[in-house]
Amino acid sequence: MQIFEKLAEYRYEQLVFCHDKATGLRAIIAVHDTTLGPALGGCRMYPYASEDEAIVDVLRLARGMTYKAAASGLNLGGGKSVIIGDPRTDKTEALFRSFGRYIETLGGRYIVAEDVGTSTEDANFIRVETGHVVGVDVTRGGSGDPSPFTALGVLQGMRACVEEVFGDDSLAGRTVAVQGVGHVGYHLCRLLHEAGARLIVTDVNASAVERVVRMFGAKAVEPDEILALACDVYAPCALGATVNDDTIPRLGCRIVAGSANNVLHEARHGEALAERGILYAPDYVINAGGLINVADELEGYNERRATKRVMRIEDRIRKIIAISKRDGVPTNVAADTLALERIAAISSMERLHTGHPYGQLQRRRETI
């Protein structure tokens, strides 16, 4: 991989490789853009098949976090990290503490949280070595598991989409096909059940499926069936890129709205969905509830305040739908426009007042 070419193409600021032979740590931290503030993003632990695969993933995720923070109105930039390893067998306290020491060397430029394959307990180990971590246990002043807040944001964004397509925002009687019923997917199923929705679910983890079937009366289907089922909403809540050239012709939904990152395999698939009359809730906007929640820790965590902020995702999805209709563009392009305009406005303001695009940013870093 031509790393510097890739960094230049999408204007990444920094890529950090972290290695510790004693603990087996192999990690990569990507900082995409810090115009709005320090980069905040989770740490994903995954047994990547190659180092190139890990680099591609962390770069793509970090860039998505820039857009997510900007579109959510947060004074934060975009970053992400990955640890190459199997979260079922390779986790140790020493490994995460070693990773925390690498984060500390960045001096607050990157703030880490949990992600796929990592947990609140892992964040607690990182916290021993650095204060630049959020999502730690509530007993340590953190907000704990962000999954319920991510699910709440998805539910609110889904309401905005249902109102646009069907004329009212009620989910009662609506059929929602949830792909992936892990942490976020489980909480989303709980909320949808409470709202009166009919659930169709799938997951590679049979016990996770059995739990939501038992608790929420969901109908279980095989993973390869979920996309083509007739439903009101398809909610991807596992890994990304499930909307692609192969799946778009088979989709049986009217709305795509879920918690997975990078749902579209390529940006052009947003237009392909629009051509089929399927409304897409841009992933980095609708799934921002977890980020909004953990970001609240930077002010001294207040659950009521964080919840109110997450609830505003419904209004942001409505705004994106309005921009899409106004400009005649797919919703993913409308979301990018919203995010980029905010970054450009702040960047211009900082140059105007400081003569340097990062003058104000440095002062913000020192106060966090």
Side-chain angles (χ1 to χ4, degrees):
M1 178 183 294
Q2 300 298 312
I3 291 177
F4 281 105
E5 289 183 11
K6 183 65 69 175
L7 298 184
E9 182 181 1
Y10 294 108
R11 300 189 178 185
Y12 289 88
E13 295 178 9
Q14 193 171 13
L15 191 65
V16 181
F17 292 85
C18 314
H19 178 254
D20 181 7
K21 185 176 181 180
T23 63
L25 176 71
R26 293 185 298 155
I28 309 168
I29 301 169
V31 175
H32 177 247
D33 187 286
T34 56
T35 302
L36 298 178
L40 192 156
C43 173
R44 174 171 293 188
M45 189 170 186
Y46 189 78
Y48 293 98
S50 68
E51 293 173 6
D52 277 1
E53 184 181 321
I55 294 169
V56 168
D57 199 33
V58 75
L59 289 175
R60 191 178 189 197
L61 291 167
R63 186 164 173 252
M65 291 304 296
T66 295
Y67 285 76
K68 182 181 292 191
S72 300
L74 298 172
N75 293 318
L76 292 167
K80 207 80 173 185
S81 55
V82 298
I83 296 176
I84 301 173
D86 190 331
R88 297 169 297 179
T89 59
D90 297 338
K91 285 186 179 185
T92 64
E93 176 184 353
L95 181 142
F96 283 103
R97 288 185 60 171
S98 176
F99 183 57
R101 289 192 289 274
Y102 275 103
I103 292 169
E104 180 65 16
T105 66
L106 296 178
R109 183 171 171 77
Y110 169 65
I111 302 166
V112 69
E114 66 176 83
D115 198 84
V116 174
T118 59
S119 66
T120 299
E121 182 181 11
D122 303 327
N124 291 341
F125 290 141
I126 294 171
R127 183 64 173 267
V128 175
E129 304 293 341
T130 181
H132 305 301
V133 54
V134 291
V136 296
D137 191 83
V138 292
T139 61
R140 300 177 183 231
S143 58
D145 181 9
S147 300
F149 293 90
T150 303
L152 176 62
V154 172
L155 183 84
Q156 295 304 113
M158 201 178 284
R159 288 187 186 281
C161 293
V162 167
E163 182 178 36
E164 174 65 22
V165 173
F166 299 108
D168 69 78
D169 68 357
S170 175
L171 289 162
R174 296 293 171 199
T175 300
V176 182
V178 181
Q179 181 189 52
V181 290
H183 286 243
V184 177
Y186 166 80
H187 288 291
L188 179 60
C189 287
R190 173 178 56 81
L191 293 172
L192 286 166
H193 176 68
E194 292 171 359
R198 293 191 294 263
L199 293 170
I200 303 172
V201 300
T202 195
D203 197 295
V204 293
N205 184 336
S207 62
V209 172
E210 290 169 5
R211 180 170 66 155
V212 297
V213 168
R214 182 179 68 254
M215 297 185 69
F216 310 129
K219 175 185 177 182
V221 298
E222 293 300 316
D224 59 356
E225 293 181 62
I226 196 94
L227 286 157
L229 291 175
C231 61
D232 297 310
V233 184
Y234 163 56
C237 296
L239 296 179
T242 59
V243 174
N244 53 55
D245 288 335
D246 293 332
T247 62
I248 289 173
R250 297 192 288 120
L251 287 173
C253 61
R254 297 287 306 280
I255 297 165
V256 175
S259 67
N261 287 309
N262 302 316
V263 170
L264 305 180
H265 185 250
E266 296 179 27
R268 63 184 177 84
H269 292 128
E271 184 173 355
L273 285 177
E275 288 174 352
R276 280 211 55 201
I278 298 172
L279 178 60
Y280 170 59
D283 49 22
Y284 64 78
V285 180
I286 197 170
N287 70 13
L291 172 64
I292 294 167
N293 181 62
V294 296
D296 197 83
E297 293 181 30
L298 300 174
E299 302 175 47
Y301 185 65
N302 182 297
E303 184 175 346
R304 180 177 293 182
R305 178 178 63 203
T307 301
K308 288 177 66 176
R309 288 173 172 172
V310 171
M311 297 284 282
R312 294 174 192 158
I313 287 175
E314 183 174 355
D315 292 333
R316 290 194 181 93
I317 294 294
R318 284 198 181 98
K319 185 173 183 179
I320 286 165
I321 292 171
I323 293 172
S324 171
K325 293 163 72 175
R326 180 197 69 194
D327 296 346
V329 297
T331 51
N332 61 308
V333 175
D336 289 352
T337 299
L338 183 68
L340 290 171
E341 283 180 352
R342 181 164 182 256
I343 293 169
I346 298 301
S347 180
S348 298
M349 182 182 71
E350 288 174 347
R351 285 196 296 270
L352 178 66
H353 290 295
T354 69
H356 190 280
Y358 299 108
Q360 294 282 346
L361 171 60
Q362 184 60 41
R363 284 196 284 277
R364 283 202 299 274
R365 286 203 197 101
E366 292 167 356
T367 62
I368 290 176

